[in-house]
Each structure stands twice: as C-alpha cells, then as structure tokens.
C-alpha cells in the first residue's frame, strides 16, 4: 500500500516539474543562477575587415571606384560573467554588472591580425571633418589647418590588430588634451569602441519572471520575465530624445528588450522580442521565422526584418534616429550618439537591404542573403540562445559635407565600410546538451519509470499478501521449497512424509490419553493401552 500510495502521488503531483520550476528560476543557489553567473555558452565574434587597395588611384582620379577586399575572419571568443548581483524584491528585479572579455582564437582565424596589414579609413579625421561642416567658417578653417599641420591622411595603413583594438593618433591626442569632456581617450580602435567601451561599469537592472497569485495566474501589468528595466538608471536613450513621462517610443526605449543571454521559458512559435546591446545603440527587433531541430534539440528561429535600420521622419518608431530633420539612406542606421558623436552607422554586411546607391562607389561588395542574414535561435525549455545563432552587422564611417579639406573631398557624401562582424554560437557544450535533453524528456522519463516501478511493485506485493491470506497450502508449499533450497537437505516428498508421520503419532498419543482418563473415571482395575494400527 505504501508503494501504491507514493507511485500514485508521483503521477499526480509531478515533482520533477516542481523541482525544475525552482531550479530554473533566477534565485541564488539554483541551477539557472549558477549558469547565468558564468554562462557555459561559447560565443564567437568573426571579424571581417575591408582593405582599401586602390586609394591613390581613386583620390588621384584614375579609378572611379574604391576597390575593397574582404580580409578575415579574425575570430575572438567572448567570455561573459556577471558580477555585483543584487536582488530587488520590492520591484521583482535583479541588478548586476556584466563583464565581457575577448580572447583571440588563432585556430579559427585566417591568420595573425598583428602581422596582417590593411589600408582603412581614418575614423577620427573623417569624423571631425564631417562635424566641422556644421560649424562656422572660421572653425572649419581652423580644423582643416590643424589636420594639415598634423599631416592627417584620410586612409591609414596599419596592422589589423591596431585598427581593431587601438592605435595612437595625433588628432585624437590633441582632442583629448583640449576637449577632455568630449574625447576622454588617447588611442582609438573600432572594435575597442564597439565592444569594450564601458565594460564592467554598466549596471543593468533586469525584470525577474512575472509574479503570480495563489492560483498560479500571472499578475496583470507585470513586465515580461528577463526583460531589461534600465541600464545605469536610464530606461531609454536620452541621446535619442527618450521621454520618461511618456515611457518613450519604440524608437528610443531600452526597457522591454533582452540582453540576448536569457529569455522566458513560456515563449511560443508566434513570439517576437527586442535585443539590446550598447554596440547597436538601439533595440533590434526579432520576429519569429520557423521552428527547427538540431541534434535532437527543439528551437525557435527568429530573424531581423530587412527594414530594421531604416528611419523616417513620419514614423514615430524610427523618427528619433533622424538628426536635424535629416535621415540617413535606406538601410543605414546612425549610432553616432553612442560613440562621441562620431558619425558612425550600422548596416547589414555589404549594404544588404540598403539603398542601391550605397554600392555605387565601390567594387568588391556583394550582398548575399544566404551569407549575411541574421538569425537568432532560442531553446524554449531552457530559455537560452543556442547553436545556429548568427547576428551579422557592419560598422561604417559616414562622411558628410566636406569644407576646406582637399584630401577629404573625394570621399564626400559617402558611407565607407569599416568591418562587419558575425556574433555566433556554432556548438553547445556536452553538459548543456544533456541538461536540455533532461529538461525536455529525460527527467520526466525517470519520474515515470520510478512511479510505474512503485505501482507494479505495490501490486505484486499486494497480490502476494492476498495469496498468503486465502491460499495457505499453496503458500506453505512455496515456503517449504524455499526452506529446502536454503538448507540443501532432503527432498520435498520425504519432508512431507516425515511431517505426516509425526502428525499421526501425535494424534495416536492424544487418543490414548483420552481413553486412560475415561477408564480411570469408570474405576477399571487395569489399563490396556490400545496401540495404533499400523499404517
């Protein structure tokens, strides 16, 4: 009865699901919490540089187009850890500081970035030249004179590593000296600014899964689980005119997006969400595309819409990206406010889905959906990104109107590709795969096996007990066989015969005693006991 009780209790209460609900919540000591502190997911950044091979011929007027050669990939592993954790029970959020490190992976890279050299745009010079166009004539002349005095060239030649992670630039050093409130660094590297800027100093506040009433129903107006509430106390992009009173628009909000590391477990095949990272300087909308299975693991695949970087003055969801009532071309999204007002922009690689005029000044760009599309794959049982995820984005230098600088005039009103990156997850660790399989069916299978085992054992024990109660002879024979087998003695037939003989002797003795008592009571002088007849 005990086995039947506990077997039935397991089937009714589903303890495995209760344990999973606890262990997959973001609370200290739980499994998900430990995974979140140091995620066991290998994220790689494949970096592809653009080498400008005919700069002299182009600036001299011999070539009509700039020739670009794609160089790469140079692969870096992104290692994420979360620190300074604070649980805020009052508003059901958690605060933390993410730390990201980037480790070069030579076996995945095309060659050594410290050895390979390229020619690429001088980002500080082009940025300052574009900004100067909005200043007075005297300011423009002064900046032009400074650039000439420093012999600043529009195209630089240096190693790939220097261009990505930092090189000394006289113009940057001069700006850091005279306007430290604007430029607070002495060297400049495009990857350094895109990925390492502000690392470890940001304080992220994230919503925990929605609270429920005593009946298990989610409370109304609760923020969705694992969405960002604020970063450094700001719920939106102040540089994109976020209004806290109105909660902003889809154009300038931070709250409600995900940091691409953790998602709610109740996602479905028709879901949509936003991804935020400072690198993007905006939220990137992801919409459901299809379900897929890889290595036996179910997943939802999301994609970015082709118009994700478009901006229109009449569209409240994108008008904030237009500065001074001027929007960039189709497919080009400004990220200037996040990078010291340097006119940088984000696009799909090779200007895919962008305005066709973007490709006109260049040779070597070949937009290809199969190679440059972005997909984000979420594993629903765990709520984590998984293999198959590819976020492919391109960083560009925007050159506007050029005043009083003959060296920069050939690049006027151009969007110059700098590099494009592929943030990807191409393999899941063995332990994570086993965990996902366990959450999906393994743990539940063990539970059903244990419950059915208890029920079958209970039924067997109950049937055995009933047999002992209602069929003693059969049970006795079974016990005798066991006894004989244990002692290794006489056969079962001899044992039964001896037992029968003993029983007969006992009966005969009883009869004699009864007759003796009868004769004594009658006063008989002699007693002649009657022997039992031979069997």
């Amino acid at each position: 009865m005990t086995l039947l009780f506990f077997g039935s209790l397991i089937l009714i209460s589903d303890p495995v699901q209760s344990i999973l609900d606890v262990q997959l919540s973001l609370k200290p000591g739980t499994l998900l919490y430990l995974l979140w502190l140091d995620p066991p997911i290998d994220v790689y950044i494949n970096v592809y540089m653009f080498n400008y091979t005919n700069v002299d011929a182009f600036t001299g007027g011999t070539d009509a187009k700039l020739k670009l050669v794609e160089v790469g990939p140079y692969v870096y592993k992104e290692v994420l850890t979360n620190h300074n954790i604070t649980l805020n029970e009052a508003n059901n959020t958690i605060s933390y500081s993410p730390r990201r490190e980037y480790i070069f992976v030579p076996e995945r890279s095309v060659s050594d970035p410290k050895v390979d050299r390229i020619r690429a745009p001088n980002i500080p010079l082009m940025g300052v030249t574009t900004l100067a166009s909005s200043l007075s004539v005297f300011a423009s002349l002064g900046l032009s004179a400074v650039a000439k005095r420093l012999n600043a060239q529009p195209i630089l030649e240096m190693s790939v590593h220097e261009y990505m992670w930092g090189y000394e630039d006289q113009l940057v050093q001069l700006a850091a000296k005279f306007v430290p409130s604007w430029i607070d660094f002495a060297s400049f590297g495009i990857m350094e600014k895109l990925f390492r800027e502000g690392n470890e100093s940001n304080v992220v506040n994230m919503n925990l899964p929605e609270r429920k009433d005593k009946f298990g129903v989610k409370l109304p107006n609760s923020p969705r689980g694992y969405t960002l509430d604020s970063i450094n106390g700001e719920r939106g992009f102040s540089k994109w005119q976020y209004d806290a009173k109105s909660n902003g628009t889809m154009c300038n909000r931070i709250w409600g997006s995900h940091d691409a590391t953790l998602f709610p477990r109740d996602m479905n095949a028709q879901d949509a969400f936003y991804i935020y990272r400072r690198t993007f300087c905006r939220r990137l909308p992801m919409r459901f595309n299809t379900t897929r299975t890889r290595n036996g693991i179910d997943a939802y695949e999301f994609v970015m819409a082709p118009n994700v970087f478009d901006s229109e003055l009449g569209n409240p969801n994108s008008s904030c990206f237009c500065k001074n009532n001027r929007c960039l071309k189709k497919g080009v999204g400004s990220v200037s406010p996040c990078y010291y007002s340097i006119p940088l922009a984000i696009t799909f690689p090779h200007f895919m889905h962008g305005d066709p005029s973007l490709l006109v000044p260049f040779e070597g760009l070949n937009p290809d959906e199969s190679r440059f599309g972005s997909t984000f794959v979420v594993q629903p049982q765990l709520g984590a990104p998984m293999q198959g995820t590819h976020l492919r984005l391109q960083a560009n230098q925007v050159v506007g109107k050029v005043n009083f600088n003959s060296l920069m005039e050939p690049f006027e009103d151009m969007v110059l590709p700098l590099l494009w990156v592929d943030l990807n997850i191409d393999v899941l660790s063995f332990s994570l795969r086993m965990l996902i399989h366990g959450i999906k069916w393994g743990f539940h299978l063990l539970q059903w096996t244990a419950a059915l085992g208890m029920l079958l054992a209970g039924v067997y024990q109950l049937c055995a007990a009933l047999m002992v109660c209602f069929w003693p002879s059969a049970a006795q024979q079974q016990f005798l066989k066991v006894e004989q087998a244990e002692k290794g003695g006489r056969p079962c037939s001899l044992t039964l015969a001896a037992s029968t003989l003993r029983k007969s002797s006992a009966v005969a003795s009883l009869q004699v005693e009864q007759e003796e008592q009868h004769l004594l009571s009658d006063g008989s002088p002699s007693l002649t006991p009657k022997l039992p007849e031979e069997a």
Side-chain angles (χ1 to χ4, degrees):
M1 294 300 296
T2 302
L3 290 171
L4 291 174
F5 172 76
F6 281 105
S8 302
L9 183 63
I10 289 175
L11 293 179
I12 295 172
S13 63
D14 195 5
V16 165
Q17 188 60 48
S18 300
I19 294 173
L20 287 177
D21 289 340
V22 173
Q23 290 299 318
L24 295 180
S25 62
L26 202 60
K27 297 179 180 179
T30 63
L31 176 62
L32 184 63
Y33 184 83
L34 296 177
L35 293 176
W36 174 73
L37 287 178
D38 189 3
I41 300 176
D42 293 334
V43 178
Y44 294 96
I45 303 179
N46 296 357
V47 184
Y48 297 84
M49 307 297 300
F50 289 104
N51 185 21
Y52 287 68
T53 60
N54 68 331
V55 175
D56 296 334
F58 175 76
T59 56
T62 304
D63 291 346
K65 296 185 177 184
L66 281 168
K67 294 181 180 179
L68 305 182
V69 175
E70 184 180 285
V71 182
Y74 301 97
V75 183
Y76 296 84
K77 181 179 179 180
E78 183 180 78
V79 180
L80 169 65
T81 53
N82 293 308
H83 304 267
N84 304 324
I85 315 300
T86 302
L87 285 173
N88 309 304
E89 296 184 2
N91 59 0
N92 196 38
T93 63
I94 186 171
S95 301
Y96 60 96
S97 295
R99 178 189 300 165
R100 290 180 168 89
E101 299 178 17
Y102 298 94
I103 303 172
F104 179 64
V105 186
E107 60 272 17
R108 287 174 171 254
S109 303
V110 65
S111 56
D112 188 348
K114 295 182 179 180
V115 175
D116 294 352
R117 300 185 67 83
I118 59 171
R119 301 188 72 186
N122 186 339
I123 299 173
L125 174 62
M126 291 188 171
V128 168
T129 301
T130 299
L131 292 174
S133 64
S134 60
L135 303 177
S136 64
V137 175
F138 294 104
S140 297
L141 285 172
L143 286 174
S144 177
V146 170
K148 290 181 179 179
R149 181 65 180 267
L150 297 176
N151 194 28
Q153 299 296 316
I155 301 295
L156 300 175
E157 181 178 350
M158 62 183 61
S159 71
V160 172
H161 179 81
E162 289 176 323
Y163 196 78
M164 286 195 294
W165 301 109
Y167 60 91
E168 300 293 333
D169 185 274
Q170 291 181 328
L171 189 60
V172 171
Q173 293 174 346
L174 188 64
K177 182 177 180 179
F178 288 98
V179 282
S181 59
W182 175 38
I183 302 297
D184 57 359
F185 52 89
S187 62
F188 185 89
I190 183 62
M191 286 288 291
E192 176 76 22
K193 298 306 174 190
L194 290 177
F195 289 95
R196 281 183 177 168
E197 186 75 13
N199 192 19
E200 302 182 35
S201 64
N202 294 315
V203 178
V204 179
N205 195 39
M206 182 174 66
N207 295 301
L208 293 174
E210 301 94 319
R211 289 174 172 169
K212 300 178 181 179
D213 59 19
K214 61 181 180 179
F215 302 105
V217 179
K218 295 178 181 179
L219 298 178
N221 301 322
S222 296
R224 190 168 189 182
Y226 306 127
T227 56
L228 299 179
D229 178 73
S230 65
I231 295 180
N232 298 327
E234 296 186 355
R235 305 190 72 215
F237 295 95
S238 58
K239 296 178 180 179
W240 291 130
Q241 294 83 49
Y242 174 77
D243 182 9
K245 294 182 179 179
S246 63
N247 281 329
T249 66
M250 303 300 287
C251 181
N252 50 31
R253 290 175 183 167
I254 292 178
W255 65 268
S257 56
H258 293 273
D259 66 352
T261 61
L262 201 58
F263 296 86
R265 295 172 57 217
D266 60 353
M267 298 186 72
N268 56 62
Q270 303 302 321
D271 223 325
F273 58 88
Y274 291 87
I275 293 178
Y276 167 80
R277 283 187 64 168
R278 180 191 172 279
T279 303
F280 313 146
C281 198
R282 65 184 64 210
R283 304 191 308 173
L284 297 180
M286 308 295 295
R287 56 179 175 80
F288 175 78
N289 182 42
T290 185
T291 57
R292 57 190 296 183
T293 302
R294 189 166 184 176
N295 296 330
I297 300 177
D298 297 333
Y300 297 146
E301 180 182 283
F302 298 83
V303 297
M304 279 195 294
N307 63 347
V308 66
F309 300 119
D310 295 356
S311 54
E312 300 176 5
L313 285 174
N315 186 348
N317 293 327
S318 63
S319 60
C320 73
F321 301 127
C322 302
K323 291 295 184 181
N324 301 320
N325 292 326
R326 294 182 60 185
C327 303
L328 297 180
K329 293 182 178 180
K330 180 179 181 298
V332 182
S334 174
V335 295
S336 175
C338 295
Y339 298 100
Y340 306 92
S341 297
I342 297 174
L344 298 174
I346 187 173
T347 65
F348 284 108
H350 289 225
F351 297 130
M352 185 178 67
H353 304 312
D355 191 303
S357 63
L358 296 170
L359 296 170
V360 172
F362 305 102
E363 290 183 7
L365 298 181
N366 301 290
D368 183 355
E369 178 69 34
S370 62
R371 186 183 178 211
F372 302 132
S374 291
T375 59
F376 200 95
V377 183
V378 178
Q379 208 292 314
Q381 279 80 30
L382 190 59
M386 62 170 290
Q387 60 192 115
T389 294
H390 290 273
L391 288 181
R392 300 180 174 107
L393 304 168
Q394 180 173 298
N396 308 272
Q397 174 75 64
V398 178
V399 182
K401 185 177 177 59
V402 175
N403 293 329
F404 312 113
N405 192 328
S406 58
L407 295 177
M408 284 292 300
E409 287 179 358
F411 305 97
E412 189 174 28
D413 294 328
M414 293 176 62
V415 180
L416 302 173
L418 302 175
L419 57 83
W420 70 272
V421 297
D422 177 6
L423 287 85
N424 66 88
I425 303 173
D426 61 359
V427 65
L428 289 180
S429 63
F430 177 78
S431 59
L432 199 57
R433 291 200 305 270
M434 291 300 99
L435 176 60
I436 294 173
H437 284 305
I439 294 172
K440 181 182 177 183
W441 56 267
F443 300 143
H444 295 282
L445 179 61
L446 290 176
Q447 174 180 271
W448 275 88
T449 301
L452 292 177
M454 289 183 180
L455 291 175
L456 292 175
V459 170
Y460 171 78
Q461 293 289 346
L462 184 60
C463 292
L466 292 174
M467 289 180 66
V468 170
C469 293
F470 296 104
W471 291 279
S473 61
Q476 187 180 32
Q477 292 179 8
Q478 179 67 22
F479 295 150
L480 288 172
K481 290 180 180 180
V482 173
E483 181 182 5
Q484 187 272 335
E486 291 178 351
K487 293 182 177 180
R490 293 168 295 176
C492 183
S493 59
L494 294 177
T495 304
L496 290 175
S499 177
T500 303
L501 182 58
R502 286 194 298 270
K503 289 182 179 179
S504 299
S505 300
V507 171
S509 299
L510 181 61
Q511 290 177 352
V512 169
E513 291 177 1
Q514 291 176 349
E515 290 180 4
E516 289 177 349
Q517 293 295 332
H518 178 70
L519 291 174
L520 289 173
S521 64
D522 290 344
S524 299
S526 62
L527 295 175
T528 305
K530 186 184 292 185
L531 296 174
E533 297 178 359
E534 292 182 3

